[in-house]
Amino acid sequence: MPDLIVLTCASGKQCAQIIPLLYNDSAYCLRLAVNSTSSLERLSKQYPHAEVTQADLQVPSDCKKLLDGASAIYYVGPTFQPHEVTMGMNVIDAAVSESRKPNTKFKHFIFSSVLHPRISKMLNHDRKKQIEEYLVEAPLDWSILQPSHFTDNAMGQLMAKRNEEKPVYMAAYDPSVKFSFTTLRDYAEASVKVIREGPKHFFATYEILSTWPMDYHAYVKEVGDVLGKDFEIKQLEYGQAVEGFCKTVFKADSLDEVDIRNREGPERMLLYYNTRGLNGNPGVLEWLIGRKATGPGDLAKALLQEQGNNTT
Ligand SMILES: NC(=O)c1ccc[n+]([C@@H]2O[C@H](COP(=O)([O-])OP(=O)(O)OC[C@H]3O[C@@H](n4cnc5c(N)ncnc54)[C@H](OP(=O)(O)O)[C@@H]3O)[C@@H](O)[C@H]2O)c1
């Protein structure tokens, strides 16, 4: 019998890269958890051999159904949700119940967290710190993966402007603040290794980073060199950045439509990123995946090649 792996936020950026690495493997069946009906429809078409299911992670009975019969869960929490901690705890409780069923197959809880969850000034980090605490105290075999700011986030804007004569990269925060980036394809490869190898990674917490600290001037220059473009960098005002970010994340037409409880996460993160970034070391990732990690320039090259292949 194949192992049933549950993935949450299955429509999101992380799972978009993880699912294809597991989907055609006969050792696994996938249960893909979504929130919206549009994602339910999209993923059902895209992955007809997977079980795609809508679950409200705030509802404990939905979480129990999600874990029913599962061998492992790869848990990604939804972006900037004020109830993120409750959702994480509900899913952990459901995994504990599943692991206590007679003849249970449940083996592994993998939490996709964030780099330095101890940074309490950012709600999206602080909430994950609380979930990590609940998980490490749970009677489960767990692994925690901590990605940083995704390399892929800024790539869309740069690729979209690559044919402009005088392209300008609009930075949402001070471009001289340094970050270690995590490239989604590296993260997916590391995540799948942890899923596949299971016990070898029990009780491990891994910081998964693709780059040493670098600022957006260096990032944009590296990508610009690959694209053959000299990008000017301009910084959005804080208020504009918050508005743009909230409209995208919460699919709203204006900031007024976004509940203050949702807005607080991006507000604090963007304020933090104007003075401090997220710094770490790519050594753990390179040890896990056994190859050099993918920097911004490497990612731009790969995307150009893939786009070229798709048009031929
Ligand atoms: N962006 C970064 O640079 C970064 C870096 C490190 C960690 N993270 C963390 O990554 C996580 C998000 O993962 P992602 O980037 O793969 O997702 P994403 O691309 O931001 O997509 C958002 C996901 O959240 C789901 N969602 C929204 N509201 C929900 C709700 N009420 N209940 C359940 N699911 C809900 C959406 O599902 P539907 O499509 O079904 O609505 C979608 O799958 C967040 O916890 C974030 O803090 C992000």
Side-chain angles (χ1 to χ4, degrees):
M1 274 286 279
D3 279 346
L4 175 62
I5 313 291
V6 178
L7 296 111
T8 60
C9 285
S11 60
K13 288 185 286 295
Q14 298 183 39
C15 286
Q17 308 251 351
I18 294 172
I19 297 167
L21 302 180
L22 295 171
Y23 183 63
N24 290 317
D25 187 333
S26 58
Y28 302 109
C29 289
L30 304 184
R31 180 175 290 156
L32 308 179
V34 297
N35 177 55
S36 66
T37 306
S38 57
S39 291
L40 177 76
E41 287 166 3
R42 180 170 67 80
L43 293 195
S44 301
K45 277 194 196 131
Q46 195 176 353
Y47 303 112
H49 303 302
E51 186 189 329
V52 187
T53 179
Q54 225 167 348
D56 183 344
L57 304 177
Q58 283 192 62
V59 178
S61 57
D62 273 23
C63 297
K64 282 194 172 177
K65 271 191 233 152
L66 197 58
L67 269 295
D68 186 36
S71 298
I73 179 164
Y74 185 87
Y75 180 64
V76 181
T79 307
F80 292 119
Q81 285 295 316
H83 298 106
E84 183 176 348
V85 180
T86 308
M87 293 176 180
M89 286 181 169
N90 284 345
V91 175
I92 293 166
D93 286 344
V96 172
S97 297
E98 185 61 29
S99 71
R100 288 180 170 158
K101 284 183 184 169
N103 304 319
T104 183
K105 295 191 181 103
F106 193 78
K107 293 182 280 205
H108 198 184
F109 193 113
I110 302 154
F111 176 35
S112 177
S113 180
V114 75
L115 181 68
H116 308 325
R118 63 188 82 87
I119 298 176
S120 59
K121 295 183 184 75
M122 288 193 279
L123 291 172
N124 50 326
H125 288 240
D126 191 55
R127 289 168 182 154
K128 289 182 181 65
K129 181 189 77 178
Q130 295 176 62
I131 300 171
E132 285 196 8
E133 182 177 357
Y134 198 65
L135 180 60
V136 301
E137 291 180 348
L140 291 170
D141 292 328
W142 50 264
S143 308
I144 295 172
L145 308 184
Q146 299 178 330
S148 180
H149 195 63
F150 293 133
T151 316
D152 312 54
N153 294 345
M155 201 58 74
Q157 189 192 147
L158 293 168
M159 295 293 279
K161 292 180 174 175
R162 73 180 190 273
N163 294 324
E164 291 180 12
E165 202 179 322
K166 291 184 176 166
V168 178
Y169 175 74
M170 298 303 300
Y173 28 84
D174 185 342
S176 63
V177 170
K178 288 186 176 176
F179 292 88
S180 284
F181 293 87
T182 298
T183 304
L184 281 166
R185 53 191 66 199
D186 295 348
Y187 189 56
E189 206 173 310
S191 299
V192 167
K193 190 170 171 73
V194 170
I195 293 171
R196 285 185 193 282
E197 294 182 347
K200 193 172 164 187
H201 304 284
F202 286 172
F203 312 118
T205 299
Y206 298 136
E207 294 183 350
I208 309 280
L209 309 168
S210 299
T211 74
W212 290 95
M214 62 192 292
D215 67 15
Y216 268 94
H217 291 289
Y219 175 114
V220 170
K221 169 91 175 66
E222 205 178 300
V223 175
D225 285 349
V226 171
L227 301 178
K229 284 284 168 178
D230 191 9
F231 282 86
E232 187 185 344
I233 301 181
K234 287 187 183 165
Q235 188 184 344
L236 290 167
E237 279 177 23
Y238 173 70
Q240 287 177 309
V242 169
E243 181 164 10
F245 204 90
C246 285
K247 278 161 66 176
T248 308
V249 170
F250 302 111
K251 300 182 176 72
D253 292 325
S254 76
L255 196 55
D256 295 338
E257 280 177 26
V258 180
D259 189 310
I260 178 66
R261 292 170 301 174
N262 287 347
R263 227 162 62 190
E264 282 166 339
E267 278 174 351
R268 292 188 190 189
M269 186 191 77
L270 291 165
L271 198 58
Y272 190 88
Y273 283 0
N274 267 326
T275 47
R276 297 174 199 264
L278 289 171
N279 294 333
N281 181 315
V284 174
L285 170 68
E286 293 186 345
W287 161 72
L288 262 176
I289 62 178
R291 64 166 172 81
K292 199 178 166 308
T294 309
D298 305 321
L299 180 62
K301 261 184 227 156
L303 290 171
L304 277 183
Q305 200 170 7
E306 284 158 20
Q307 286 183 6
N309 289 345
N310 286 340
T311 53
T312 51

